[in-house]
Amino acid sequence: MTKFDTTQGTITTARHGRTARRAALRLARTAVRDSEHHAGEMVHPWHFVSHLRPITRRLPERKPPVTIAAGFVCSDGVVLCADTLLSANYRQHGLKVWFWTNDHLSVAVAGAGNYVLLKLAKEAIFKKLAVISGKARHVGWTVKHDVIEPTLASLHDDHIDKATDWDRANGYGLSLLIGVKQLSDCVLYETDRRACSEVQGFSCVGSGAPVASYVASTMFSPMLPVLWGQVSAAYVIQQTRAYGDDCGGESNIVVLPHAGTARFVSRTEIGDLEAVGTGIHEAFGRVLFTATDDNHVKDYDESLQGFLNAMQ
C-alpha cells in the first residue's frame, strides 16, 4: 500500500509507474483542497509528478592513475626517471622505475598507467630476460621482439582488452619506457598499447607529460652526455611535481651508461642535480629578459656570463 503524510504534503513510499502517478494525483487533489496552505491557488494535478520520477545518478568519475615518467637518450647512455605518486585520491607512493642486469645486458623499465599493470609488465619482462638470456644457444633474439612485444600482447589479451570501455577511458592501461643496454649500445623504447618503437631524443608519459615535455625540450639535447641527462631528469621531475597534474612524491633516476653498470642515482645526488637544474633555468631566464632591452647591454653580458658559469 502507498502511504501518505497529508500534513507534510509528501509521499512516504510509492512505487514507480502507474501507482506513483495515481498517488501523485491524489496528493495533488488533497493539496488543492487545503486552502489554508495554498491560499486558494489552483495546483495542477500533475504538479508533484516530477518529484516521483527516478533520479538519474552518475557514477563518481574515477581519476586516471597519476604519474610522470621520462626517458632521455644521451650521447653515452640512457637515463630513465619517475616520481613516486600513485593515486591522487589516497596519496599512495611506490617505486615506478626498475632495472635488471647481468654480465652482458641491462634493462630499465619505467612507465605510467595502472600500477598493478605496470608491476605485472616489469615482472614479466624481467622474467623473460632471465629465461632467454640464460640459454647459451639462443641466438638472434632481440629485447624488442622477443621480450617487450610478447609481454604487451599478453597483458592486453589477459587484462586490458577484457576491461570495460569506462575502465580503459579512466586509466586502466599502461605506457612503458624501456631502456636497453646490450654490450656498449643503448636504446630507449616507448610503447603505446601493443606497439613498441625506438625513441630519438626524449619521451615523457603520464598525466604530467605536458609539463615534462616542455621543460625537457628547453634543457635537453641527445648530443649531451649522461651527466646532463641526469640533470634534465632531476629537474623535469622536480618541475612536474610542482606544476603538473597530480604528480608528486620523490624522484627516482636510473642510469644505463655505455661504459659501466646500471645504477640508481642516490637521493643526495638527485638533490644536487635539482639545484644545478634550477640554477641553469634561472640563469637562462635572466638572459632572455635582458636580451630584449637594447639599453642595458652590460646587464645582458653579465647574465650571459652567469648562464655560462651555471652550465659549467
Side-chain angles (χ1 to χ4, degrees), residues 17-89:
R18 289 179 296 180
T19 302
R21 293 190 187 95
R22 288 196 297 266
L25 182 58
R26 291 167 61 185
L27 181 57
R29 290 171 179 171
T30 301
V32 171
R33 290 194 298 266
D34 192 352
S35 59
E36 292 182 358
H37 287 78
H38 298 282
E41 295 181 3
M42 292 298 295
V43 180
H44 193 277
W46 296 104
H47 174 74
F48 297 100
V49 172
S50 61
H51 299 288
L52 300 175
R53 292 174 182 169
I55 300 174
T56 302
R57 300 186 184 276
R58 298 182 62 183
L59 292 173
E61 294 185 1
R62 187 177 67 181
K63 300 185 70 172
V66 296
T67 188
I68 175 61
F72 300 86
V73 181
C74 307
S75 61
D76 57 349
V78 169
V79 178
L80 278 84
C81 58
D83 69 343
T84 60
L85 184 62
L86 304 182
S87 171
N89 297 326

Side-chain angles (χ1 to χ4, degrees), residues 63-131:
K63 300 185 70 172
V66 296
T67 188
I68 175 61
F72 300 86
V73 181
C74 307
S75 61
D76 57 349
V78 169
V79 178
L80 278 84
C81 58
D83 69 343
T84 60
L85 184 62
L86 304 182
S87 171
N89 297 326
Y90 301 105
R91 314 305 294 182
Q92 297 172 336
H93 294 265
L95 187 65
K96 295 185 291 188
V97 56
W98 307 268
F99 72 87
W100 177 95
T101 185
N102 64 9
D103 294 337
H104 60 277
L105 178 66
S106 297
V107 176
V109 177
N114 181 275
Y115 190 53
V116 174
L117 293 177
L118 184 58
K119 290 191 294 183
L120 283 175
K122 178 263 299 185
E123 292 166 0
I125 288 173
F126 290 173
K127 183 177 180 180
K128 289 180 182 295
L129 288 170
V131 171

Side-chain angles (χ1 to χ4, degrees), residues 138-159:
H138 192 92
V139 296
W141 69 281
T142 64
V143 174
K144 176 183 177 182
H145 295 294
D146 295 273
V147 177
I148 301 175
E149 291 178 344
T151 298
L152 294 174
S154 175
L155 285 173
H156 278 82
D157 290 339
D158 296 339
H159 302 284

Side-chain angles (χ1 to χ4, degrees), residues 125 128 179 221 226 299:
I125 288 173
K128 289 180 182 295
S221 169
V226 161
D299 293 340

Side-chain angles (χ1 to χ4, degrees), residues 150-265:
T151 298
L152 294 174
S154 175
L155 285 173
H156 278 82
D157 290 339
D158 296 339
H159 302 284
I160 299 174
D161 290 347
K162 292 181 179 180
T164 64
D165 293 339
W166 186 86
D167 284 328
R168 288 195 295 270
N170 285 275
Y172 191 75
L174 79 164
S175 298
L176 300 176
L177 295 172
I178 304 170
V180 179
K181 176 196 172 186
Q182 203 159 11
L183 299 177
S184 61
D185 185 32
C186 291
V187 181
L188 178 64
Y189 295 106
E190 62 181 346
T191 71
D192 185 7
R193 293 186 60 81
R194 297 171 183 259
C196 176
S197 64
E198 185 176 344
V199 174
Q200 303 293 333
F202 69 88
S203 179
C204 304
V205 295
S207 59
V211 173
S213 297
Y214 169 74
V215 175
S217 65
T218 63
M219 294 192 65
F220 179 75
S221 169
M223 296 183 294
L224 296 171
V226 161
L227 178 59
W228 185 257
Q230 295 177 61
V231 173
S232 300
Y235 191 65
V236 161
I237 299 299
Q238 181 194 46
Q239 292 298 296
T240 308
R241 295 201 319 262
Y243 302 108
D245 291 335
D246 297 326
C247 299
E250 298 178 337
S251 300
N252 289 310
I253 301 175
V254 168
V255 180
L256 300 179
H258 285 175
T261 59
R263 69 180 184 91
F264 276 103
V265 179

